[in-house]
Amino acid sequence: MAVVFEKPKFLTDTPLHYCPGCTHGIAHRLVAEALEEIGAENVVGVAPVGCAVFAYNYFNCDMQQAAHGRAPAVAQGIKLVNPDNIVFAYQGDGDLASIGMAEIVHACARGANITIIFINNGIYGMTGGQMAPTTLLGQKATTCQNGRDPKVNGYPIRMCEMLATLDGPSFIARGSLADVKNVKKSKEYLVKAFKNQKEGKGLSFVELLSTCPTNWHLSPLKAIDYVKNEMTSYYPLGVYKDLED
Amino acid sequence: MAKVTFDEEYCKGCGLCVSVCPKKILEISKTKSNDKGYFVAQMTDQSQCIGCAFCATMCPDCVIKVEK
Amino acid sequence: MAERKLMKGNEAIAEAAIRGGCRFYAGYPITPQNEVPEYMSARLPQVGGHFVQAESEVSAINMIFGAGGAGGRAMTSSSSPGISLMQEGISYICGAEVPCVIVNMVRSGPGLGGIQPSQGDYHQSVHGGGHGDYKMLVYGPCSVQECVDLIYNAFDKAEEYRLPVMILGDGMLGQIMEAVTLPEMKDPATFPKHKWATDGTGRGKDRRIINSLYIVPDELEVINQRLQKVYDRMAEKEVLFEKYLCDDAEIIITAYGSVGRIAKSAVDILRAEGKKVGLFRPITLCPLPTKELKALANQASVKEFVVTELSMGQYIDDVRLATDDKKPIRFYCRTGGNVMSPEDIVAFIKGEN
């Protein structure tokens, strides 16, 4: 019998601390599988501040843990010192789209040859469920307890569409972790992203819609539905930029 | 015939695997739990397994290994 | 081959940093240090280095975090408001023990303040403007040559202690031009390779992790204790100062940076008038030469100290702590970007202003 599916080598044996049904874990595995698929050798990852802050315990490669929002800047510093490394920054929506917005926009404008993995679960998980820049209108969070009201809290930000207006990035796509088809699609996007980096094409950006059962107060399966329905309708899946075409 | 093994200590009983199995042969045990106290996922009828690995694809914690 | 050149302070600093091994610079425009990034942008590529104009000083210091953590010799420069933006990054850098060099050409404050010289960032640099217990190796050079000499070896020091080395210049040091002797280019091939650096080759148990998060209190306490030992070692080995005509002095003027140099001229004027005045100029501000200050306070001939700064009084706090109020301390300062002349100091000492 041949092995059809097993844990990728770019993940350590440390059990993930994420909540049951949180799809951060799937994202971690896809990153590891994509790195393996492109035959990456010298890899450095950058962990954000947020639920994924402990990613430096999970990715089986050299890691740095960046200040909140600054992972793209840290990643650029790493990449320029060792340009042949494959460097990625793994960030959540608070880290990337809120405090780190300037960093991601300018990393894209620069076309820095790094890969950004952006986990969009529309909430601040680690700190207990506050509203994020990607929290949907009407969605409840601890800092918009009657549901996000655009008059008070503004509108959710679609990062792929926004960053696709910049000339620097070579690849921008949004995938979802809500079902098998889209998990496989997301892996393709990550392989493409890392391949672009390996070929020096410039910044690659993959956004992944992800669940947060605990802070959405939903069961894992209901959270999956929320991604499939509400999240995916506001954040359409697909490729937003591909230098090839 | 395919073979699925569970690294049960990593399982959190979230049920995503159960929800995507096309043959409906996975369940979250009502009696068996791991050291952390999670009721673990388990196979009900290995003979029906087609080795599609949908379960492993949806597992956030790399609990499931699939051989075929 | 050492070179003798007439150079502007900021440019001499950039050139000396490159000769000291700097191969990565990230910075942002802010007066009065703009010539550092300008010079770096043209010069670094010539030596196979990398220059990035960051979108902000917040981003710049975090690029330094990444580059230094990956084993590169990394540097940034800014001026007071920009250095304030870097404080969180500096704290992370110290917590993760990342070596780097930071140049602060201090300008008058607070707020947007002015662009003229000042020493108003002393407390921020020496006692920490960021969160948590950390220290940097902080130099207060008084001339362009001293800037060159200090930054030339700053990367070696940073790597020895695994922390930021700061060149704390008062604005004018960056803007004045002086003849300098530029040291030879260090060969990067001779630099030690660091086993802690994330160069991408780590796997499994020998993975390298540049990190400052320790969620378990006992672990973070051990880190704090380890950092303190580094700072103690630094205090034993790195103290630098200049003592001028202090042996028989009744009045000790103490000042650092350009003001120390101005005070030296005041000493000469007063000595010519038969007054027994000496100068004590700390070159390292952290670690501060407290032993030497204590000794001077206990020196029989010394009647009083005169501290003079370009601030409302910051270094004076440490002089008072070090001298234990053994002798009276008078304070003379200019602020807002004004700089005192030697004559101003002389007049103050003679009680005329």
Side-chain angles (χ1 to χ4, degrees):
Chain A
M1 284 235 259
V3 171
V4 171
F5 196 105
E6 66 180 339
K7 181 175 193 164
K9 291 183 199 48
F10 270 107
L11 287 181
T12 67
D13 294 335
T14 312
L16 305 182
H17 74 286
Y18 301 112
C19 305
C22 164
T23 48
H24 256 304
I26 298 176
H28 281 34
R29 194 193 71 235
L30 296 182
V31 169
E33 287 170 351
L35 287 168
E36 219 168 291
E37 194 160 314
I38 67 154
E41 277 149 35
N42 296 339
V43 182
V44 185
V46 181
V49 167
C51 286
V53 67
F54 291 117
Y56 60 80
N57 287 326
Y58 304 140
F59 288 117
N60 184 12
C61 58
D62 285 344
M63 290 293 292
Q64 293 199 18
Q65 191 283 311
H68 196 30
R70 315 311 169 196
V74 172
Q76 286 170 84
I78 296 167
K79 183 73 178 184
L80 288 170
V81 168
N82 296 305
D84 61 358
N85 283 178
I86 295 292
V87 180
F88 67 90
Y90 184 104
Q91 299 179 263
D93 38 34
D95 196 81
L96 180 132
S98 195
I99 191 170
M101 181 64 90
E103 273 73 14
I104 187 60
V105 169
H106 284 275
C108 287
R110 250 178 239 113
N113 193 31
I114 55 179
T115 299
I116 307 286
I117 298 111
F118 168 44
I119 304 301
N120 176 359
N121 62 6
I123 198 99
Y124 277 76
M126 166 73 83
T127 44
Q130 296 78 17
M131 180 179 71
T134 48
T135 296
L136 297 180
L137 295 181
Q139 181 180 348
K140 289 191 169 72
T142 58
T143 48
C144 56
Q145 292 167 20
N146 303 318
R148 181 173 189 168
D149 169 3
K151 286 195 294 306
V152 177
N153 314 115
Y155 295 83
I157 299 171
R158 296 185 180 93
M159 286 306 298
C160 283
E161 292 81 341
M162 191 176 87
L163 297 176
T165 65
L166 298 169
D167 296 332
S170 66
F171 180 71
I172 296 178
R174 176 182 297 126
S176 152
L177 300 171
D179 52 45
V180 174
K181 179 169 74 73
N182 281 301
V183 164
K184 292 187 173 185
K185 194 71 182 150
S186 299
K187 177 180 170 181
E188 281 169 33
Y189 291 151
L190 286 165
V191 169
K192 175 81 168 94
F194 281 123
K195 226 157 117 288
N196 272 22
Q197 178 175 161
K198 197 172 177 182
E199 291 158 9
K201 289 189 173 150
L203 191 137
S204 42
F205 181 89
V206 177
E207 175 178 352
L208 298 174
L209 300 185
S210 187
T211 62
C212 183
T214 298
N215 289 300
W216 290 357
H217 306 290
L218 295 172
S219 71
L221 296 185
K222 285 273 188 306
I224 285 284
D225 292 340
Y226 187 80
V227 172
K228 271 188 202 165
N229 306 319
E230 286 81 353
M231 295 274 284
T232 302
S233 61
Y234 189 86
Y235 299 109
L237 307 179
V239 175
Y240 286 82
K241 187 166 190 204
D242 190 344
L243 218 52
E244 246 84 62
D245 54 6
Chain B
M1 220 280 280
K3 183 158 170 290
V4 167
T5 46
F6 296 84
D7 194 341
E8 289 177 344
E9 283 312 311
Y10 286 83
C11 180
K12 294 173 184 162
C14 71
L16 294 190
C17 55
V18 175
S19 70
V20 295
C21 174
K23 308 297 281 181
K24 297 296 170 220
I25 49 173
L26 293 178
E27 69 176 6
I28 300 300
S29 168
K30 303 239 178 343
T31 54
K32 194 175 177 200
S33 65
N34 61 20
D35 292 351
K36 288 198 184 117
Y38 288 116
F39 286 108
V40 294
Q42 57 191 13
M43 173 61 70
T44 56
D45 183 352
Q46 183 66 77
S47 68
Q48 295 299 314
C49 176
I50 58 172
C52 69
F54 277 17
C55 54
T57 303
M58 279 310 287
C59 175
D61 292 278
C62 293
V63 173
I64 303 169
K65 181 175 173 185
V66 182
E67 293 159 290
K68 202 166 144 187
Chain C
M1 191 278 293
E3 264 174 274
R4 188 81 177 145
K5 273 179 93 169
L6 177 65
M7 285 186 90
K8 191 169 201 179
N10 282 328
E11 289 173 355
I13 283 168
E15 179 59 32
I18 287 174
R19 292 178 182 225
C22 175
R23 289 300 179 272
F24 181 82
Y25 174 92
Y28 189 83
I30 182 167
T31 303
Q33 58 85 58
N34 295 312
E35 294 83 0
V36 180
E38 287 166 353
Y39 189 92
M40 284 295 196
S41 67
R43 182 81 172 101
L44 264 176
Q46 296 169 353
V47 293
H50 293 278
F51 164 85
V52 182
Q53 180 165 322
E55 55 273 20
S56 73
E57 291 90 346
V58 174
S59 180
I61 192 69
N62 281 286
M63 290 178 180
I64 299 303
F65 180 97
R73 289 198 155 190
M75 165 177 155
T76 185
S77 64
S78 187
S79 174
S80 309
I83 297 289
S84 291
L85 286 176
M86 292 185 179
Q87 292 305 307
E88 184 204 27
I90 288 172
S91 176
Y92 269 69
I93 283 171
C94 292
E97 297 187 87
V98 170
C100 67
V101 173
I102 301 167
V103 175
N104 178 7
M105 280 300 158
V106 183
R107 61 190 257 176
S108 42
L112 186 53
I115 57 169
Q116 301 296 336
S118 162
Q119 295 184 321
D121 298 358
Y122 174 89
H123 279 320
Q124 179 189 57
S125 315
V126 170
H127 297 296
H131 55 286
D133 295 302
Y134 69 87
K135 292 236 181 304
M136 298 188 284
L137 175 53
V138 182
Y139 291 113
C142 76
S143 66
V144 175
Q145 186 65 56
E146 200 165 58
C147 288
V148 163
D149 298 339
L150 291 170
I151 202 163
Y152 182 58
N153 295 319
F155 295 91
D156 299 324
K157 297 287 181 195
E159 288 177 5
E160 179 183 347
Y161 296 100
R162 286 184 61 184
L163 45 64
V165 173
M166 175 174 274
I167 304 293
L168 189 65
D170 33 58
M172 74 181 137
L173 273 179
Q175 294 301 318
I176 58 177
M177 287 186 83
E178 292 193 274
V180 287
T181 303
L182 290 172
E184 282 177 14
M185 182 75 81
K186 287 182 182 176
D187 175 8
T190 64
F191 299 154
K193 257 193 106 22
H194 301 294
K195 56 180 179 22
W196 46 259
T198 58
D199 63 5
T201 58
R203 283 291 177 289
K205 58 174 179 30
D206 47 21
R207 283 182 323 128
R208 293 57 149 269
I209 298 174
I210 297 294
N211 162 58
S212 61
L213 171 66
Y214 294 91
I215 209 88
V216 175
D218 285 347
E219 286 176 20
L220 189 49
E221 188 163 51
V222 164
I223 296 294
N224 276 289
Q225 287 158 354
R226 188 175 79 207
L227 291 179
Q228 191 54 50
K229 285 201 189 73
V230 170
Y231 305 144
D232 295 342
R233 190 157 48 86
M234 198 168 74
E236 274 156 37
K237 275 183 63 192
E238 299 304 329
V239 164
L240 290 173
F241 56 86
E242 177 189 8
K243 264 173 85 173
Y244 179 65
L245 306 181
C246 288
D247 297 346
D248 65 342
E250 292 168 3
I251 300 172
I252 300 283
I253 305 176
T254 179
Y256 70 91
S258 309
V259 180
R261 195 169 162 189
I262 294 165
K264 193 169 187 180
S265 305
V267 167
D268 291 340
I269 296 169
L270 289 162
R271 281 281 174 175
E273 295 174 9
K275 288 209 168 359
K276 291 199 167 85
V277 182
L279 167 74
F280 180 78
R281 179 174 72 87
I283 298 170
T284 51
L285 303 177
C286 181
L288 194 70
T290 42
K291 274 202 224 76
E292 287 70 23
L293 278 166
K294 264 192 211 321
L296 286 172
N298 294 323
Q299 186 175 303
S301 71
V302 173
K303 299 277 183 300
E304 69 166 339
F305 286 91
V306 170
V307 174
T308 179
E309 295 180 69
L310 295 179
S311 79
M312 295 307 288
Q314 295 189 24
Y315 165 57
I316 187 169
D317 295 347
D318 285 336
V319 173
R320 187 166 289 124
L321 275 174
T323 59
D324 234 359
D325 272 336
K326 288 258 174 22
K327 300 284 169 62
I329 302 174
R330 283 195 290 152
F331 177 63
Y332 173 65
C333 75
R334 294 304 303 270
T335 62
N338 292 310
V339 180
M340 70 283 281
S341 68
E343 290 70 22
D344 291 335
I345 297 175
V346 168
F348 171 80
I349 285 182
K350 288 202 266 182
E352 288 151 10
N353 72 349

